[in-house]
Amino acid sequence: MPETAPQFTPQTAALRLRPYSEGDAEPLWRMLEPVFRAGETYAIEPDISRAEALAFWTGDGNRVSLAEDADGAILGSYFLRPNKRGGGAHVANAAFVTAPAAQGRGVARQMLAHAEAAARAAGFRAMQFNFVVAENTRAVATWERAGYAVVGRLPGAFHHPSAGYVDALVMMKHL
């Protein structure tokens, strides 16, 4: 019987969340590449280059954090930014990625809690996810458990590689 990795929960292990630095580009790319290549959760071209993917994640004023375990292994990342400028700048937007081997271990929940605390500290009044693919049931469930509500549905807005045209959700939570 193969050994299974111990389940990660906030009660059994703590992640260290820290700011991204240029030296983290390779482990970040190793997380982003399979997600972007699969084309199932982000409205990103599946053949995006490494440079373009890293620029998307780390550029344009994004505040990027990495989640690592006690041994320094990078298990996830998120970015936080204003959802819009001007009159919409008080609403945060974020995106999350978890390393394939760390999925289902509570990494996204801890990153979300960290992102919400950072958003509050930065003066944001709410957080909004603009384009959550409805087929991404793990993310939808995680966000709903954390108090996010579906405030909009975009019928057939995402072309999923195996499910065809599926809905995208707009989800929001007041902080």
Side-chain angles (χ1 to χ4, degrees):
M1 183 172 194
E3 288 187 25
T4 58
Q7 287 296 307
F8 174 86
T9 63
Q11 293 77 30
T12 60
L15 290 178
R16 177 176 168 240
L17 284 123
R18 63 170 178 82
Y20 170 84
S21 69
E22 291 299 319
D24 298 317
E26 190 54 36
L28 178 58
W29 171 239
R30 283 194 306 268
M31 284 188 297
L32 293 173
E33 183 181 23
V35 171
F36 290 172
R37 296 281 182 257
E40 297 176 342
T41 56
Y42 280 95
I44 300 283
E45 292 296 327
D47 62 350
I48 190 170
S49 72
R50 178 184 187 275
E52 290 170 323
L54 290 171
F56 165 77
W57 201 263
T58 65
D60 200 26
N62 293 353
R63 178 179 169 179
V64 180
S65 292
L66 296 175
E68 58 185 22
D69 67 13
D71 296 325
I74 307 235
L75 302 180
S77 179
Y78 77 85
F79 68 71
L80 180 69
R81 65 181 177 204
N83 190 49
K84 296 293 178 191
R85 296 185 295 198
H90 62 284
V91 177
N93 177 255
F96 298 83
V97 65
T98 303
Q103 291 178 359
R105 295 169 47 194
V107 174
R109 286 191 306 272
Q110 281 205 45
M111 288 192 300
L112 178 59
H114 189 268
E116 288 178 343
R120 282 186 199 96
F124 290 107
R125 297 173 47 102
M127 189 175 299
Q128 179 175 318
F129 304 133
N130 298 324
F131 204 90
V132 181
V133 176
E135 296 294 304
N136 189 355
T137 56
R138 175 175 266 154
V140 172
T142 298
W143 308 153
E144 287 180 333
R145 276 193 307 273
Y148 287 79
V150 174
V151 296
R153 180 175 292 269
L154 309 169
F158 184 78
H159 190 205
H160 191 280
S162 61
Y165 292 97
V166 300
D167 296 352
L169 308 174
V170 179
M171 301 182 77
M172 185 176 183
K173 176 181 176 180
H174 290 279
L175 301 174

